[in-house]
Amino acid sequence: MRTTLRLDDDLMMEIRDLAAKRRSPIGAVTNEALRLGLQALAQPRKNRGRHREKPVKMGAPARNLDKALSLAAGLEDTEVLRKLQLRK
């Protein structure tokens, strides 16, 4: 059966590359990819369970972060002064 499909450019390039590597027609590669995709979609998804992250102790912070904006401003000022001194 003939039909018209609108494929994304990157997908079409992958199909063409695969067809060239296999020395197969583009239609045959497309049909195989569609069959495999439809089989994968028809299979029920496996229930992997709930994902849980384990907490990790990172130790105490090196600086007091209660006043983070003033800390950032101070670090920025220090960096600006350093760059100005390098120009001399």
Side-chain angles (χ1 to χ4, degrees), residues 21-84:
K21 285 179 187 174
R22 291 184 173 188
R23 295 184 179 175
S24 299
I26 291 175
V29 172
T30 305
N31 282 330
E32 182 181 354
L34 285 172
R35 280 191 187 94
L36 291 172
L38 288 173
Q39 287 174 3
L41 288 175
Q43 295 176 357
R45 289 185 165 197
K46 295 180 182 178
N47 187 3
R48 297 182 189 177
R50 188 174 171 185
H51 176 74
R52 296 181 187 187
E53 293 195 19
K54 297 177 184 176
V56 177
K57 290 186 180 182
M58 297 178 65
R63 298 183 190 263
N64 184 1
L65 299 177
D66 290 338
K67 297 182 180 179
L69 290 177
S70 63
L71 174 65
L75 291 172
E76 184 178 0
D77 292 344
T78 305
E79 183 64 16
V80 168
L81 289 174
R82 185 186 70 81
K83 287 182 179 181
L84 288 173

Short mmCIF file of all heavy atoms in Angstrom, two decimals, residues 21-84:
data_model
loop_
_atom_site.label_atom_id
_atom_site.label_comp_id
_atom_site.label_asym_id
_atom_site.label_seq_id
_atom_site.Cartn_x
_atom_site.Cartn_y
_atom_site.Cartn_z
N LYS A 21 23.88 1.87 4.82
CA LYS A 21 24.77 0.91 5.48
C LYS A 21 24.36 -0.53 5.20
O LYS A 21 25.19 -1.40 5.01
CB LYS A 21 24.77 1.14 6.99
CG LYS A 21 25.55 2.36 7.41
CD LYS A 21 25.47 2.54 8.92
CE LYS A 21 26.09 3.86 9.33
NZ LYS A 21 25.91 4.14 10.77
N ARG A 22 23.04 -0.77 5.20
CA ARG A 22 22.54 -2.12 4.96
C ARG A 22 22.40 -2.45 3.48
O ARG A 22 22.13 -3.59 3.13
CB ARG A 22 21.16 -2.28 5.60
CG ARG A 22 21.16 -2.27 7.09
CD ARG A 22 19.77 -2.52 7.57
NE ARG A 22 19.71 -2.68 9.00
CZ ARG A 22 18.62 -3.07 9.65
NH1 ARG A 22 17.52 -3.34 8.98
NH2 ARG A 22 18.64 -3.20 10.95
N ARG A 23 22.54 -1.43 2.66
CA ARG A 23 22.32 -1.58 1.22
C ARG A 23 20.92 -2.12 0.96
O ARG A 23 20.71 -3.07 0.19
CB ARG A 23 23.38 -2.46 0.58
CG ARG A 23 24.75 -1.84 0.65
CD ARG A 23 25.77 -2.67 -0.05
NE ARG A 23 27.06 -2.00 0.03
CZ ARG A 23 28.17 -2.51 -0.41
NH1 ARG A 23 28.17 -3.72 -0.95
NH2 ARG A 23 29.31 -1.85 -0.30
N SER A 24 19.96 -1.51 1.64
CA SER A 24 18.55 -1.88 1.53
C SER A 24 17.75 -0.67 1.09
O SER A 24 18.18 0.47 1.30
CB SER A 24 18.00 -2.34 2.88
OG SER A 24 18.68 -3.47 3.35
N PRO A 25 16.59 -0.90 0.51
CA PRO A 25 15.74 0.24 0.14
C PRO A 25 15.22 0.96 1.38
O PRO A 25 15.04 0.37 2.45
CB PRO A 25 14.58 -0.39 -0.63
CG PRO A 25 14.96 -1.80 -0.88
CD PRO A 25 16.04 -2.17 0.06
N ILE A 26 14.97 2.25 1.21
CA ILE A 26 14.46 3.06 2.32
C ILE A 26 13.13 2.52 2.82
O ILE A 26 12.87 2.48 4.02
CB ILE A 26 14.34 4.54 1.89
CG1 ILE A 26 15.72 5.13 1.69
CG2 ILE A 26 13.54 5.36 2.89
CD1 ILE A 26 15.73 6.54 1.14
N GLY A 27 12.28 2.06 1.90
CA GLY A 27 10.97 1.52 2.28
C GLY A 27 11.10 0.30 3.18
O GLY A 27 10.34 0.14 4.14
N ALA A 28 12.06 -0.58 2.89
CA ALA A 28 12.24 -1.78 3.70
C ALA A 28 12.72 -1.43 5.11
O ALA A 28 12.23 -1.99 6.10
CB ALA A 28 13.24 -2.72 3.03
N VAL A 29 13.64 -0.47 5.20
CA VAL A 29 14.13 -0.05 6.52
C VAL A 29 13.01 0.62 7.32
O VAL A 29 12.85 0.37 8.52
CB VAL A 29 15.35 0.89 6.35
CG1 VAL A 29 15.76 1.49 7.67
CG2 VAL A 29 16.51 0.15 5.71
N THR A 30 12.22 1.44 6.65
CA THR A 30 11.11 2.12 7.32
C THR A 30 10.08 1.11 7.81
O THR A 30 9.59 1.21 8.94
CB THR A 30 10.45 3.13 6.37
OG1 THR A 30 11.45 4.04 5.89
CG2 THR A 30 9.36 3.90 7.05
N ASN A 31 9.74 0.12 6.99
CA ASN A 31 8.78 -0.91 7.40
C ASN A 31 9.28 -1.68 8.61
O ASN A 31 8.53 -1.95 9.55
CB ASN A 31 8.49 -1.87 6.25
CG ASN A 31 7.54 -1.27 5.23
OD1 ASN A 31 6.70 -0.46 5.57
ND2 ASN A 31 7.71 -1.68 3.98
N GLU A 32 10.56 -2.05 8.60
CA GLU A 32 11.13 -2.79 9.73
C GLU A 32 11.09 -1.95 11.00
O GLU A 32 10.73 -2.44 12.08
CB GLU A 32 12.57 -3.21 9.41
CG GLU A 32 13.20 -4.02 10.52
CD GLU A 32 14.63 -4.42 10.22
OE1 GLU A 32 15.11 -4.15 9.10
OE2 GLU A 32 15.27 -4.97 11.12
N ALA A 33 11.45 -0.67 10.89
CA ALA A 33 11.44 0.21 12.06
C ALA A 33 10.02 0.37 12.61
O ALA A 33 9.81 0.34 13.83
CB ALA A 33 12.03 1.57 11.70
N LEU A 34 9.05 0.52 11.74
CA LEU A 34 7.66 0.65 12.18
C LEU A 34 7.17 -0.63 12.85
O LEU A 34 6.47 -0.59 13.87
CB LEU A 34 6.76 1.01 11.00
CG LEU A 34 6.84 2.45 10.52
CD1 LEU A 34 6.07 2.64 9.23
CD2 LEU A 34 6.32 3.39 11.58
N ARG A 35 7.52 -1.78 12.28
CA ARG A 35 7.10 -3.05 12.89
C ARG A 35 7.68 -3.20 14.30
O ARG A 35 6.98 -3.58 15.24
CB ARG A 35 7.54 -4.23 12.03
CG ARG A 35 6.64 -4.49 10.86
CD ARG A 35 6.95 -5.82 10.18
NE ARG A 35 6.16 -5.91 8.97
CZ ARG A 35 6.59 -5.55 7.75
NH1 ARG A 35 7.82 -5.10 7.59
NH2 ARG A 35 5.79 -5.67 6.71
N LEU A 36 8.98 -2.92 14.43
CA LEU A 36 9.62 -3.04 15.74
C LEU A 36 9.02 -2.04 16.73
O LEU A 36 8.80 -2.36 17.90
CB LEU A 36 11.13 -2.82 15.61
CG LEU A 36 11.90 -3.91 14.88
CD1 LEU A 36 13.34 -3.48 14.65
CD2 LEU A 36 11.83 -5.21 15.65
N GLY A 37 8.74 -0.83 16.26
CA GLY A 37 8.14 0.17 17.13
C GLY A 37 6.74 -0.20 17.58
O GLY A 37 6.37 -0.03 18.74
N LEU A 38 5.95 -0.74 16.66
CA LEU A 38 4.59 -1.16 17.02
C LEU A 38 4.60 -2.34 17.98
O LEU A 38 3.77 -2.41 18.89
CB LEU A 38 3.79 -1.50 15.76
CG LEU A 38 3.38 -0.31 14.90
CD1 LEU A 38 2.76 -0.78 13.58
CD2 LEU A 38 2.43 0.59 15.65
N GLN A 39 5.54 -3.26 17.81
CA GLN A 39 5.66 -4.38 18.75
C GLN A 39 6.01 -3.87 20.14
O GLN A 39 5.47 -4.34 21.14
CB GLN A 39 6.72 -5.37 18.27
CG GLN A 39 6.31 -6.21 17.09
CD GLN A 39 7.45 -7.06 16.57
OE1 GLN A 39 8.55 -7.06 17.14
NE2 GLN A 39 7.21 -7.78 15.49
N ALA A 40 6.93 -2.91 20.21
CA ALA A 40 7.33 -2.36 21.50
C ALA A 40 6.17 -1.63 22.17
O ALA A 40 5.99 -1.71 23.38
CB ALA A 40 8.52 -1.43 21.33
N LEU A 41 5.37 -0.92 21.38
CA LEU A 41 4.23 -0.20 21.95
C LEU A 41 3.14 -1.15 22.42
O LEU A 41 2.40 -0.84 23.36
CB LEU A 41 3.66 0.77 20.92
CG LEU A 41 4.50 2.01 20.61
CD1 LEU A 41 3.87 2.80 19.48
CD2 LEU A 41 4.65 2.87 21.85
N ALA A 42 3.01 -2.31 21.79
CA ALA A 42 1.96 -3.26 22.14
C ALA A 42 2.26 -3.99 23.45
O ALA A 42 1.35 -4.46 24.12
CB ALA A 42 1.76 -4.27 21.01
N GLN A 43 3.54 -4.08 23.81
CA GLN A 43 3.91 -4.79 25.03
C GLN A 43 3.62 -3.91 26.24
O GLN A 43 3.87 -2.71 26.21
CB GLN A 43 5.38 -5.16 25.01
CG GLN A 43 5.74 -6.16 23.93
CD GLN A 43 7.23 -6.42 23.87
OE1 GLN A 43 7.99 -5.82 24.60
NE2 GLN A 43 7.63 -7.31 22.99
N PRO A 44 3.08 -4.51 27.30
CA PRO A 44 2.81 -3.71 28.50
C PRO A 44 4.12 -3.25 29.14
O PRO A 44 5.13 -3.94 29.09
CB PRO A 44 2.06 -4.67 29.42
CG PRO A 44 2.40 -6.03 28.94
CD PRO A 44 2.70 -5.91 27.47
N ARG A 45 4.06 -2.06 29.71
CA ARG A 45 5.26 -1.53 30.37
C ARG A 45 5.50 -2.26 31.67
O ARG A 45 4.57 -2.62 32.39
CB ARG A 45 5.08 -0.05 30.66
CG ARG A 45 5.12 0.79 29.44
CD ARG A 45 5.07 2.24 29.83
NE ARG A 45 5.47 3.05 28.71
CZ ARG A 45 5.84 4.30 28.82
NH1 ARG A 45 5.85 4.88 29.98
NH2 ARG A 45 6.19 4.98 27.76
N LYS A 46 6.76 -2.44 31.98
CA LYS A 46 7.12 -3.10 33.23
C LYS A 46 7.02 -2.08 34.36
O LYS A 46 7.43 -0.93 34.22
CB LYS A 46 8.54 -3.63 33.16
CG LYS A 46 8.72 -4.73 32.15
CD LYS A 46 10.15 -5.20 32.14
CE LYS A 46 10.35 -6.28 31.09
NZ LYS A 46 11.73 -6.72 31.01
N ASN A 47 6.46 -2.52 35.46
CA ASN A 47 6.37 -1.66 36.63
C ASN A 47 7.71 -1.74 37.35
O ASN A 47 8.06 -2.77 37.92
CB ASN A 47 5.23 -2.10 37.54
CG ASN A 47 5.01 -1.13 38.67
OD1 ASN A 47 5.68 -0.10 38.76
ND2 ASN A 47 4.09 -1.47 39.54
N ARG A 48 8.44 -0.67 37.31
CA ARG A 48 9.77 -0.66 37.90
C ARG A 48 9.76 -0.30 39.38
O ARG A 48 10.78 -0.31 40.02
CB ARG A 48 10.65 0.34 37.16
CG ARG A 48 10.85 -0.01 35.72
CD ARG A 48 11.76 0.98 35.08
NE ARG A 48 11.78 0.77 33.64
CZ ARG A 48 12.45 1.51 32.81
NH1 ARG A 48 13.16 2.51 33.25
NH2 ARG A 48 12.42 1.26 31.52
N GLY A 49 8.63 0.02 39.90
CA GLY A 49 8.58 0.42 41.30
C GLY A 49 8.88 1.90 41.44
O GLY A 49 9.15 2.61 40.48
N ARG A 50 8.85 2.34 42.64
CA ARG A 50 9.03 3.75 42.93
C ARG A 50 10.52 4.07 43.05
O ARG A 50 11.27 3.34 43.69
CB ARG A 50 8.32 4.08 44.22
CG ARG A 50 8.26 5.51 44.54
CD ARG A 50 7.40 5.73 45.75
NE ARG A 50 7.54 7.11 46.16
CZ ARG A 50 7.00 7.63 47.24
NH1 ARG A 50 6.27 6.86 48.01
NH2 ARG A 50 7.17 8.87 47.54
N HIS A 51 10.91 5.17 42.45
CA HIS A 51 12.30 5.59 42.53
C HIS A 51 12.53 6.34 43.84
O HIS A 51 11.78 7.25 44.19
CB HIS A 51 12.66 6.51 41.35
CG HIS A 51 14.04 7.05 41.43
ND1 HIS A 51 15.15 6.29 41.18
CD2 HIS A 51 14.50 8.28 41.77
CE1 HIS A 51 16.23 7.03 41.33
NE2 HIS A 51 15.86 8.25 41.70
N ARG A 52 13.56 5.98 44.54
CA ARG A 52 13.88 6.65 45.79
C ARG A 52 15.35 7.03 45.79
O ARG A 52 16.20 6.24 45.43
CB ARG A 52 13.60 5.75 46.97
CG ARG A 52 12.14 5.42 47.08
CD ARG A 52 11.85 4.56 48.25
NE ARG A 52 10.43 4.17 48.17
CZ ARG A 52 9.82 3.53 49.09
NH1 ARG A 52 10.44 3.17 50.18
NH2 ARG A 52 8.55 3.22 48.95
N GLU A 53 15.60 8.24 46.20
CA GLU A 53 16.98 8.70 46.29
C GLU A 53 17.46 8.58 47.72
O GLU A 53 16.72 8.85 48.67
CB GLU A 53 17.08 10.15 45.82
CG GLU A 53 16.80 10.28 44.35
CD GLU A 53 17.25 11.62 43.81
OE1 GLU A 53 18.07 12.29 44.47
OE2 GLU A 53 16.78 11.99 42.73
N LYS A 54 18.70 8.20 47.86
CA LYS A 54 19.28 8.04 49.18
C LYS A 54 19.97 9.35 49.58
O LYS A 54 20.75 9.90 48.81
CB LYS A 54 20.29 6.91 49.19
CG LYS A 54 19.68 5.56 48.87
CD LYS A 54 20.72 4.49 48.82
CE LYS A 54 20.08 3.17 48.41
NZ LYS A 54 21.08 2.12 48.25
N PRO A 55 19.70 9.84 50.77
CA PRO A 55 20.36 11.06 51.21
C PRO A 55 21.84 10.81 51.48
O PRO A 55 22.24 9.72 51.90
CB PRO A 55 19.62 11.43 52.49
CG PRO A 55 18.97 10.19 52.95
CD PRO A 55 18.73 9.35 51.74
N VAL A 56 22.63 11.83 51.23
CA VAL A 56 24.07 11.73 51.42
C VAL A 56 24.51 12.91 52.28
O VAL A 56 24.15 14.05 52.02
CB VAL A 56 24.81 11.78 50.07
CG1 VAL A 56 26.31 11.74 50.26
CG2 VAL A 56 24.37 10.63 49.19
N LYS A 57 25.31 12.64 53.31
CA LYS A 57 25.82 13.72 54.15
C LYS A 57 26.97 14.40 53.42
O LYS A 57 27.90 13.76 52.96
CB LYS A 57 26.31 13.18 55.49
CG LYS A 57 25.18 12.70 56.37
CD LYS A 57 25.69 12.30 57.72
CE LYS A 57 24.53 11.82 58.58
NZ LYS A 57 24.98 11.46 59.93
N MET A 58 26.87 15.71 53.32
CA MET A 58 27.89 16.47 52.60
C MET A 58 28.76 17.30 53.54
O MET A 58 29.63 18.03 53.11
CB MET A 58 27.22 17.38 51.57
CG MET A 58 26.48 16.59 50.51
SD MET A 58 25.64 17.62 49.32
CE MET A 58 26.99 18.42 48.52
N GLY A 59 28.50 17.21 54.82
CA GLY A 59 29.28 17.96 55.78
C GLY A 59 28.75 19.37 55.95
O GLY A 59 27.79 19.79 55.32
N ALA A 60 29.41 20.11 56.80
CA ALA A 60 28.99 21.49 57.07
C ALA A 60 29.43 22.39 55.92
O ALA A 60 30.48 22.17 55.30
CB ALA A 60 29.63 21.96 58.37
N PRO A 61 28.66 23.44 55.62
CA PRO A 61 29.07 24.35 54.55
C PRO A 61 30.34 25.11 54.93
O PRO A 61 30.59 25.39 56.10
CB PRO A 61 27.88 25.30 54.39
CG PRO A 61 27.06 25.13 55.61
CD PRO A 61 27.38 23.79 56.19
N ALA A 62 31.14 25.43 53.94
CA ALA A 62 32.40 26.13 54.18
C ALA A 62 32.16 27.58 54.57
O ALA A 62 33.01 28.20 55.18
CB ALA A 62 33.27 26.05 52.94
N ARG A 63 31.02 28.13 54.17
CA ARG A 63 30.69 29.52 54.48
C ARG A 63 29.27 29.58 55.04
O ARG A 63 28.45 28.72 54.78
CB ARG A 63 30.76 30.39 53.24
CG ARG A 63 32.14 30.43 52.63
CD ARG A 63 32.13 31.38 51.45
NE ARG A 63 33.35 31.31 50.69
CZ ARG A 63 34.36 32.14 50.85
NH1 ARG A 63 34.30 33.09 51.73
NH2 ARG A 63 35.44 32.03 50.10
N ASN A 64 29.00 30.64 55.79
CA ASN A 64 27.66 30.85 56.31
C ASN A 64 26.79 31.34 55.16
O ASN A 64 27.03 32.37 54.57
CB ASN A 64 27.70 31.89 57.43
CG ASN A 64 26.35 32.09 58.06
OD1 ASN A 64 25.38 31.45 57.68
ND2 ASN A 64 26.28 32.99 59.02
N LEU A 65 25.75 30.58 54.85
CA LEU A 65 24.90 30.90 53.71
C LEU A 65 23.64 31.67 54.09
O LEU A 65 22.75 31.83 53.27
CB LEU A 65 24.53 29.60 52.97
CG LEU A 65 25.71 28.81 52.41
CD1 LEU A 65 25.22 27.53 51.77
CD2 LEU A 65 26.50 29.63 51.44
N ASP A 66 23.57 32.15 55.31
CA ASP A 66 22.39 32.92 55.73
C ASP A 66 22.26 34.21 54.92
O ASP A 66 21.16 34.66 54.64
CB ASP A 66 22.46 33.24 57.22
CG ASP A 66 22.26 31.99 58.07
OD1 ASP A 66 21.68 31.02 57.56
OD2 ASP A 66 22.70 32.00 59.24
N LYS A 67 23.38 34.80 54.57
CA LYS A 67 23.36 36.04 53.80
C LYS A 67 24.06 35.78 52.46
O LYS A 67 25.11 36.34 52.17
CB LYS A 67 24.04 37.15 54.57
CG LYS A 67 23.32 37.47 55.88
CD LYS A 67 23.98 38.59 56.61
CE LYS A 67 23.21 38.87 57.90
NZ LYS A 67 23.82 39.93 58.67
N ALA A 68 23.46 34.94 51.66
CA ALA A 68 24.07 34.49 50.41
C ALA A 68 24.25 35.63 49.41
O ALA A 68 25.26 35.68 48.69
CB ALA A 68 23.24 33.37 49.78
N LEU A 69 23.32 36.57 49.35
CA LEU A 69 23.45 37.67 48.39
C LEU A 69 24.63 38.58 48.73
O LEU A 69 25.36 39.00 47.84
CB LEU A 69 22.15 38.48 48.32
CG LEU A 69 20.97 37.77 47.66
CD1 LEU A 69 19.73 38.65 47.72
CD2 LEU A 69 21.28 37.41 46.23
N SER A 70 24.81 38.87 49.99
CA SER A 70 25.95 39.71 50.36
C SER A 70 27.25 38.96 50.14
O SER A 70 28.26 39.55 49.75
CB SER A 70 25.83 40.19 51.81
OG SER A 70 25.85 39.10 52.70
N LEU A 71 27.25 37.66 50.38
CA LEU A 71 28.43 36.85 50.10
C LEU A 71 28.76 36.88 48.61
O LEU A 71 29.91 37.08 48.22
CB LEU A 71 28.20 35.41 50.57
CG LEU A 71 29.28 34.39 50.23
CD1 LEU A 71 30.57 34.73 50.96
CD2 LEU A 71 28.83 33.00 50.59
N ALA A 72 27.74 36.73 47.76
CA ALA A 72 27.96 36.75 46.31
C ALA A 72 28.47 38.11 45.87
O ALA A 72 29.36 38.21 45.03
CB ALA A 72 26.67 36.40 45.59
N ALA A 73 27.93 39.17 46.43
CA ALA A 73 28.38 40.52 46.07
C ALA A 73 29.84 40.72 46.47
O ALA A 73 30.63 41.30 45.71
CB ALA A 73 27.50 41.56 46.74
N GLY A 74 30.21 40.24 47.64
CA GLY A 74 31.61 40.36 48.08
C GLY A 74 32.55 39.59 47.18
O GLY A 74 33.64 40.06 46.83
N LEU A 75 32.15 38.37 46.78
CA LEU A 75 32.98 37.58 45.88
C LEU A 75 33.11 38.24 44.51
O LEU A 75 34.18 38.24 43.90
CB LEU A 75 32.40 36.17 45.73
CG LEU A 75 32.47 35.28 46.97
CD1 LEU A 75 31.69 34.00 46.74
CD2 LEU A 75 33.91 34.96 47.33
N GLU A 76 32.03 38.83 44.05
CA GLU A 76 32.06 39.51 42.76
C GLU A 76 32.98 40.73 42.83
O GLU A 76 33.77 40.97 41.91
CB GLU A 76 30.65 39.93 42.36
CG GLU A 76 30.58 40.57 40.99
CD GLU A 76 29.16 40.93 40.59
OE1 GLU A 76 28.23 40.69 41.38
OE2 GLU A 76 29.01 41.45 39.48
N ASP A 77 32.90 41.50 43.92
CA ASP A 77 33.77 42.66 44.08
C ASP A 77 35.23 42.25 44.09
O ASP A 77 36.09 42.89 43.47
CB ASP A 77 33.42 43.41 45.36
CG ASP A 77 32.06 44.08 45.31
OD1 ASP A 77 31.52 44.23 44.19
OD2 ASP A 77 31.54 44.45 46.39
N THR A 78 35.54 41.17 44.79
CA THR A 78 36.91 40.67 44.85
C THR A 78 37.40 40.29 43.47
O THR A 78 38.55 40.59 43.10
CB THR A 78 36.98 39.46 45.80
OG1 THR A 78 36.46 39.82 47.07
CG2 THR A 78 38.40 38.96 45.95
N GLU A 79 36.55 39.65 42.68
CA GLU A 79 36.94 39.23 41.33
C GLU A 79 37.16 40.44 40.42
O GLU A 79 38.09 40.47 39.62
CB GLU A 79 35.88 38.29 40.75
CG GLU A 79 36.21 37.75 39.37
CD GLU A 79 37.44 36.87 39.34
OE1 GLU A 79 37.90 36.40 40.40
OE2 GLU A 79 37.96 36.63 38.23
N VAL A 80 36.31 41.46 40.54
CA VAL A 80 36.46 42.66 39.73
C VAL A 80 37.78 43.35 40.07
O VAL A 80 38.53 43.77 39.17
CB VAL A 80 35.25 43.62 39.94
CG1 VAL A 80 35.54 44.98 39.35
CG2 VAL A 80 34.00 43.01 39.34
N LEU A 81 38.11 43.45 41.33
CA LEU A 81 39.38 44.06 41.74
C LEU A 81 40.58 43.27 41.21
O LEU A 81 41.57 43.84 40.76
CB LEU A 81 39.45 44.17 43.27
CG LEU A 81 38.54 45.21 43.90
CD1 LEU A 81 38.60 45.11 45.43
CD2 LEU A 81 38.94 46.60 43.45
N ARG A 82 40.48 41.96 41.26
CA ARG A 82 41.57 41.12 40.76
C ARG A 82 41.78 41.36 39.26
O ARG A 82 42.91 41.49 38.80
CB ARG A 82 41.25 39.64 41.01
CG ARG A 82 42.41 38.69 40.63
CD ARG A 82 41.99 37.24 40.78
NE ARG A 82 41.04 36.84 39.76
CZ ARG A 82 41.37 36.49 38.50
NH1 ARG A 82 42.61 36.53 38.10
NH2 ARG A 82 40.44 36.13 37.65
N LYS A 83 40.69 41.42 38.50
CA LYS A 83 40.82 41.65 37.06
C LYS A 83 41.37 43.04 36.76
O LYS A 83 42.15 43.20 35.83
CB LYS A 83 39.45 41.47 36.38
CG LYS A 83 39.02 40.04 36.29
CD LYS A 83 37.70 39.89 35.57
CE LYS A 83 37.28 38.44 35.48
NZ LYS A 83 36.01 38.29 34.77
N LEU A 84 40.99 44.03 37.55
CA LEU A 84 41.53 45.37 37.35
C LEU A 84 43.03 45.44 37.63
O LEU A 84 43.78 46.12 36.95
CB LEU A 84 40.79 46.39 38.22
CG LEU A 84 39.37 46.73 37.80
CD1 LEU A 84 38.69 47.61 38.85
CD2 LEU A 84 39.36 47.41 36.45
#
